[in-house]
Amino acid sequence: ESVAPSEVLYIGNEDDDEEDFALTKQALNEAHLANQLQWVQDGEQLMIFLRKENEYMNAVTPDIILLDLNMPRKDGREALREIKADPRLRAIPVIMLTTSNTETDILKSYDLGANSYITKPVTFAGLVDVVKTLEKYWFQIVKLPNSAKN
């Protein structure tokens, strides 16, 4: 069953390539979210996208952000800090989706305002399960403020 269109912004890390993106897109497709998936490769590009600058002037504000900690140019911690400090962006839920399972990274992410922290599954089936759970929770159960869409 498909839910209302939802914009998902996925930010990969330096190890993510087009094959990784294709797998993530496939997992999101199984949760009926792939058509609304946007992908940026690093923290600098993320902030340009969110602020609708340069080539992203007409970008649609995402409903959620899937953010990796380990990105080139601006890591996930720096990007998260900037997002949560910006009144126009802070209402967008940021879900840390990363390979790190260290307590320090988990605590720091929540201290900076992360809404959830998920360790990336190592299998495709695990990723599909995580995406389906995210879809159900964030787009069927949780009520998001309309201000996040402005």
Side-chain angles (χ1 to χ4, degrees):
E1 172 180 320
S2 184
V3 297
S6 305
E7 295 293 332
V8 178
L9 181 59
Y10 173 71
I11 300 87
N13 67 31
E14 67 260 56
D15 298 323
D16 288 342
D17 55 18
E18 295 208 13
E19 184 178 319
D20 243 8
F21 175 66
L23 288 175
T24 302
K25 187 173 175 82
Q26 187 177 348
L28 287 162
N29 188 45
E30 291 197 25
H32 308 290
L33 294 174
N35 291 339
Q36 292 78 34
L37 177 66
Q38 297 292 324
W39 181 44
V40 296
Q41 294 180 332
D42 61 54
E44 290 285 333
Q45 191 178 16
L46 165 64
M47 298 314 299
I48 292 168
F49 180 97
L50 291 173
R51 292 180 178 138
K52 300 182 183 199
E53 299 169 345
N54 303 335
E55 70 269 28
Y56 299 114
M57 286 175 35
N58 298 316
V60 176
T61 302
D63 291 300
I64 63 170
I65 298 170
L66 303 178
L67 182 62
D68 199 310
L69 285 177
N70 304 308
M71 301 179 298
R73 300 196 317 158
K74 181 179 297 204
D75 74 12
R77 293 161 204 82
E78 294 173 275
L80 179 60
R81 183 180 294 113
E82 285 185 39
I83 291 165
K84 295 303 178 178
D86 188 325
R88 297 166 299 149
L89 304 174
R90 72 172 60 137
I92 303 169
V94 178
I95 300 159
M96 306 310 288
L97 184 60
T98 186
T99 56
S100 174
N101 198 23
T102 67
E103 187 68 14
T104 305
D105 285 336
I106 295 167
L107 285 171
K108 183 69 171 175
S109 295
Y110 281 115
D111 283 347
L112 292 171
N115 298 90
S116 294
Y117 191 102
I118 299 169
T119 302
K120 234 184 239 185
V122 294
T123 66
F124 178 70
L127 181 60
V128 170
D129 286 343
V130 163
V131 169
K132 284 182 177 180
T133 302
L134 286 172
E135 184 274 330
K136 182 170 184 169
Y137 180 76
W138 287 105
F139 297 116
Q140 293 180 24
I141 297 172
V142 169
K143 299 295 182 215
L144 297 173
N146 287 333
S147 62
K149 295 302 289 175
N150 295 333

